[in-house]
Amino acid sequence: MERSRNYSVAGFLFSVTAEQSLFERMTNYTPFEGSEGEHLFDLTFGTVPEESDKQLVYIDASADDLPRIELYRVQDDWQINMAVTNQGVIVNRIRMSADFTRATVQPTEGYERFAIDNAAMLLFAFTTSKRHTLELHASVTVKDGKGFLFLGKSGTGKSTHSQLWLKHIPGSRLLNDDNPIVRLNSDGTPEVYGSPWSGKTPCYINRHF
C-alpha cells in the first residue's frame, strides 16, 4: 500500500509517496521527518515512459566514477535519465513538472535508494535555487558552534580533512560528509544544515549552525 511522508530539510518541506517497503530502506530520511517549512515539491514512485520525441538539453558525464545525468525536454515537462557511472546503463528516470514542484521517479529494481536520493537532491537544488539556498558538494565539521565546509573535487581529500579534525581537534563533530545545505537568513548571515544525503558516510544529522 502506498503512503506519503513529509521531510523537512534546511527549513524546507517535501513529500515522498511510495510503498511502505521503500520507506523501510530510507533510514537516512528518518531524522528529517516533519511538517514544518515552506513546501517545495512532491515526489512519487511510478512509471515514467520513454518518450520518443524528447529533446536532449544537457548531459553531465564529467567524471568516470560519478553518475551520468541526461536532461531532456518532454513537451512542457523535464525528464532526467541517470546511470550510476559515466558509461553505465540508465537505471533511473525522473519526470518533472516545468517548475520542479511535482515529479515521478521510476528506478530499475535494485536501484531504489539511488533513485530516491538523486531525485530528491536534484529537486531540492532546483526548487531552492531562488531561495538564497545552495546544496553544496562538501564535507562539514562543527567546532564551537560554527560549521566549517571543505570543498573540492571528488577524491581530493574533503572527507580525509574532516576526519583529521575529528581525530586531532577536540570537540569537533561531523555534520555532513557530502551534501550539506547552506542558507542565507533574512539578515544575510549564513547557516549550514545537515541533510539526508551524505555520500558514502552515514551521517544524517538534522541540525544547523
Side-chain angles (χ1 to χ4, degrees), residues 92-167:
N92 182 24
R93 291 201 295 272
I94 313 165
R95 184 74 172 263
M96 304 176 175
S97 61
D99 60 359
F100 305 110
T101 61
R102 300 180 311 281
T104 301
V105 58
Q106 180 181 349
T108 299
E109 185 176 358
Y111 292 92
E112 291 85 358
R113 176 69 180 271
F114 174 83
I116 183 62
D117 284 348
N118 282 281
M121 281 193 291
L122 287 168
L123 287 163
F124 191 92
F126 293 151
T127 52
T128 59
S129 62
K130 295 183 179 180
R131 291 172 167 85
H132 306 290
T133 302
L134 282 175
E135 180 185 315
L136 295 176
H137 181 205
S139 183
V140 184
T141 59
V142 175
K143 176 72 168 66
D144 297 332
K146 294 183 179 180
F148 297 86
L149 287 80
F150 309 122
L151 289 80
K153 293 183 178 180
S154 295
T156 56
K158 299 184 297 298
S159 296
T160 300
H161 197 94
S162 284
Q163 290 302 317
L164 289 172
W165 273 54
L166 301 181
K167 182 177 180 179

Side-chain angles (χ1 to χ4, degrees), residues 29-194:
Y29 292 83
T30 302
F32 299 88
E33 287 189 43
S35 57
E36 296 183 0
E38 179 186 355
H39 191 88
L40 295 178
F41 61 85
D42 300 300
L43 179 60
T44 302
F45 274 72
T47 301
V48 178
E50 191 60 81
E51 304 284 358
S52 60
D53 61 344
K54 65 181 186 295
Q55 298 177 337
L56 180 63
V57 176
Y58 176 74
I59 295 180
D60 182 359
S62 54
D64 290 340
D65 60 339
L66 293 178
R68 183 177 78 255
I69 302 174
E70 302 173 356
L71 173 64
Y72 297 91
R73 194 66 170 169
V74 182
Q75 301 172 19
D76 294 328
D77 295 338
W78 300 101
Q79 180 168 320
I80 291 179
N81 293 353
M82 299 188 69
V84 176
T85 61
N86 188 319
Q87 301 298 322
V89 298
I90 298 299
V91 297
N92 182 24
R93 291 201 295 272
I94 313 165
R95 184 74 172 263
M96 304 176 175
S97 61
D99 60 359
F100 305 110
T101 61
R102 300 180 311 281
T104 301
V105 58
Q106 180 181 349
T108 299
E109 185 176 358
Y111 292 92
E112 291 85 358
R113 176 69 180 271
F114 174 83
I116 183 62
D117 284 348
N118 282 281
M121 281 193 291
L122 287 168
L123 287 163
F124 191 92
F126 293 151
T127 52
T128 59
S129 62
K130 295 183 179 180
R131 291 172 167 85
H132 306 290
T133 302
L134 282 175
E135 180 185 315
L136 295 176
H137 181 205
S139 183
V140 184
T141 59
V142 175
K143 176 72 168 66
D144 297 332
K146 294 183 179 180
F148 297 86
L149 287 80
F150 309 122
L151 289 80
K153 293 183 178 180
S154 295
T156 56
K158 299 184 297 298
S159 296
T160 300
H161 197 94
S162 284
Q163 290 302 317
L164 289 172
W165 273 54
L166 301 181
K167 182 177 180 179
H168 297 290
I169 302 178
S172 297
R173 292 173 293 157
L174 186 66
L175 177 65
N176 187 275
D177 204 33
D178 197 55
N179 289 101
I181 311 298
V182 173
R183 183 176 182 181
L184 290 181
N185 295 318
S186 58
D187 62 359
T189 58
E191 289 187 303
V192 60
Y193 292 75

